[in-house]
Amino acid sequence: MARAKIALIGAGQIGGTLAHLVGLKELGDVVLFDIAEGIPQGKALDIAESSPVDGFDAALSGAQDYSEIAGADVCIVTAGVARKPGMSRDDLLGINLKVMKSVGEGIKAHAPDAFVICITNPLDAMVWALREFSGLPHEKVVGMAGVLDSARFRYFLAEEFDVSVKDVTAFVLGGHGDTMVPLTRYSTVAGIPLPDLVQMGWTTQDKLDAIVQRTRDGGAEIVGLLKTGSAFYAPAASAVQMAESYLKDQKRVLPAAAFVDGKYGLDGMYVGVPTVIGKDGIERIVEISMNDDENAMFQNSVNAVKGLVEACKGIDETLA
Ligand code: A3D
C-alpha cells in the first residue's frame, strides 16, 4: 500500500516539528510548503538526513508551489504569523485571514480530499475561514486546540498530584483563548473526578482554580518565556495525534475545534468540543451535559468566537 502523503502548509517552528514527528512515527511522506524560499527545502533535507540515525522511512521534500501538495491525505496548516509578547491571538486576525485565503484556495485546487487540521491563530475563526475558502466538507476541516489545552491541563495536574501524566485525563471545551472552559468535573486521575480529589485532600480548591487559570494562560506563559515566538513542540504533538487518529481510523475521542450544527444549541459554527476522529474525519461530536456555571462559561466562549468570525466577515467581503 502506498504511504500516506502529509502536506504541512507553513514550515516554521510548528511545521518543522510536525515534519520531524511525522517522520519518527512513520505516518507517511511529507511535503513542507512555505512562501519563504529554502526554509521548507532545508528543513525537509535536514530531517531526511536524520532518518538513517532514527531508522525511519519517509520521503521529505520542500515546496513553494501548491501543485506539490497534490493528492495529500492530510494537510496541517500553520501558515501565518505567530504571537509576539504583548500581542493577543486576535491581533493576528487580519494578517492570518489573508493567509487562510491563499491556503484554502491551494487546498481546494490540489488536495480536495484531504483531512485538514488548522493550527493558525486565532484558531476558531481561522479554521472557519479556511473551511469557507477551501469549500471542503465541514467534517474534513478541523482546528487543533483542545488536545493541546487539555494536555497542558493534564501536565499541570500530574505535577500537582505527583502521578503519571498517563493516568490524568482532562476535558477542555470552548474556543481556544482566554475564554476556554477547562471542565474539572469531567477531568480525572484514573477515573476519580477532580472534585472528589479535592474532597480526598489531594489538593485544595484554590490550587485547582490556579491550575485552571494557568491552563487558560498556557499559551501566553510560553510566549512570555520564549519572547520570539509561541509554543511549538506541544502544538505539533497534538496535531500529529489528530492526524494519526484519522489516518489509522483510530476513532480517538479528542477535543477539537469542530463544526457544530444542532448540538450544544448551536446552529453552525466552529468551537472546541469533544469529537471522534476516524477515517471519515470528524465522525461524531460528543454532547455532554453542563451545569449552569459551565454553560455560562461555554456561552461566553461561543460569543467570543462569534465576535471573531464577524470581524473576519468585516475584513473579507467574500465571507459575509
Ligand atoms: P512560525 O514559526 O512563524 O511559522 C509560520 C510559517 O508560516 C513561516 O515559516 C512563514 O513563512 C509561513 N507563512 C506565512 N505566510 C504564509 C503563506 N501565505 N503561505 C504559506 N506559508 C506562510 O509560526 P509557528 O509555527 O510557531 O506558529 C504557526 C501558527 O500557529 C501561528 O499562527 C500561531 O499563533 C499558531 N499556534 C496555534 C496554537 C494553537 O493551539 C491553536 C499553538 C501555537 C501556535
Side-chain angles (χ1 to χ4, degrees):
M1 206 193 293
R3 287 186 208 142
K5 178 169 176 176
I6 298 166
L8 306 175
I9 317 292
Q13 297 279 55
I14 302 179
T17 312
L18 282 169
H20 196 195
L21 287 176
V22 167
L24 288 170
K25 287 177 160 267
E26 286 196 326
L27 289 185
D29 293 337
V30 174
V31 176
L32 269 163
F33 176 100
D34 204 291
I35 48 167
E37 273 179 44
I39 301 283
Q41 287 82 1
K43 289 194 178 185
L45 182 59
D46 190 12
I47 294 167
E49 288 168 355
S50 79
S51 64
V53 181
D54 282 313
F56 62 83
D57 288 303
L60 291 114
S61 60
Q64 256 83 50
D65 192 314
Y66 274 105
S67 61
E68 305 274 330
I69 72 162
D73 299 289
V74 170
C75 295
I76 307 181
V77 178
T78 59
V81 173
R83 273 200 293 173
K84 306 274 180 318
M87 204 175 168
S88 80
R89 289 185 182 89
D90 304 352
D91 294 336
L92 299 178
L93 189 85
I95 306 170
N96 286 350
L97 187 61
K98 284 204 190 84
V99 176
M100 289 307 101
K101 188 165 198 159
S102 61
V103 175
E105 288 167 357
I107 292 175
K108 182 181 195 166
H110 299 284
D113 296 324
F115 180 55
V116 179
I117 302 170
C118 180
I119 308 185
T120 302
N121 269 322
L123 193 268
D124 304 88
M126 291 303 106
V127 65
W128 171 79
L130 184 63
R131 210 303 309 172
E132 293 291 313
F133 290 130
S134 69
L136 267 59
H138 285 103
E139 68 274 13
K140 298 293 281 293
V141 182
V142 64
M144 187 295 295
V147 175
L148 171 65
D149 294 331
S150 57
R152 286 178 173 148
F153 196 20
R154 288 170 66 193
Y155 172 68
F156 300 148
L157 290 168
E159 247 193 334
E160 166 65 8
F161 296 135
D162 195 21
V163 298
S164 168
V165 289
K166 292 179 191 156
D167 295 321
V168 182
T169 63
F171 209 104
V172 175
L173 271 181
H176 181 60
D178 309 331
T179 59
M180 82 174 79
V181 188
L183 286 182
T184 54
R185 235 161 33 96
Y186 287 105
S187 304
T188 75
V189 173
I192 311 167
L194 295 183
D196 292 28
L197 290 165
V198 172
Q199 280 184 356
M200 287 158 61
W202 277 43
T203 187
T204 62
Q205 189 59 48
D206 284 351
K207 281 189 179 166
L208 194 52
D209 291 345
I211 287 174
V212 165
Q213 193 53 44
R214 190 176 176 196
T215 303
R216 284 204 184 98
D217 298 337
E221 184 175 359
I222 304 280
V223 171
L225 289 166
L226 294 180
K227 297 191 176 65
T228 52
S230 57
F232 54 100
Y233 293 112
S238 303
V240 164
Q241 186 175 62
M242 294 167 70
E244 187 171 18
S245 189
Y246 171 76
L247 288 167
K248 297 183 179 171
D249 193 24
Q250 290 174 329
K251 304 193 191 293
R252 297 286 314 267
V253 182
L254 299 172
F259 189 73
V260 187
D261 193 10
K263 291 203 162 78
Y264 290 95
L266 300 174
D267 57 352
M269 67 175 283
Y270 274 92
V271 70
V273 287
T275 67
V276 176
I277 299 180
K279 65 175 181 357
D280 296 324
I282 298 294
E283 297 187 346
R284 245 187 297 166
I285 285 168
V286 184
E287 189 172 22
I288 55 150
S289 66
M290 287 186 272
N291 63 29
D292 288 348
D293 280 354
E294 291 159 353
N295 199 32
M297 284 192 283
F298 183 67
Q299 288 311 325
N300 186 28
S301 191
V302 161
N303 290 337
V305 174
K306 281 184 178 166
L308 288 176
V309 167
E310 286 310 311
C312 290
K313 289 179 181 170
I315 295 169
D316 186 317
E317 72 232 11
T318 63
L319 290 171

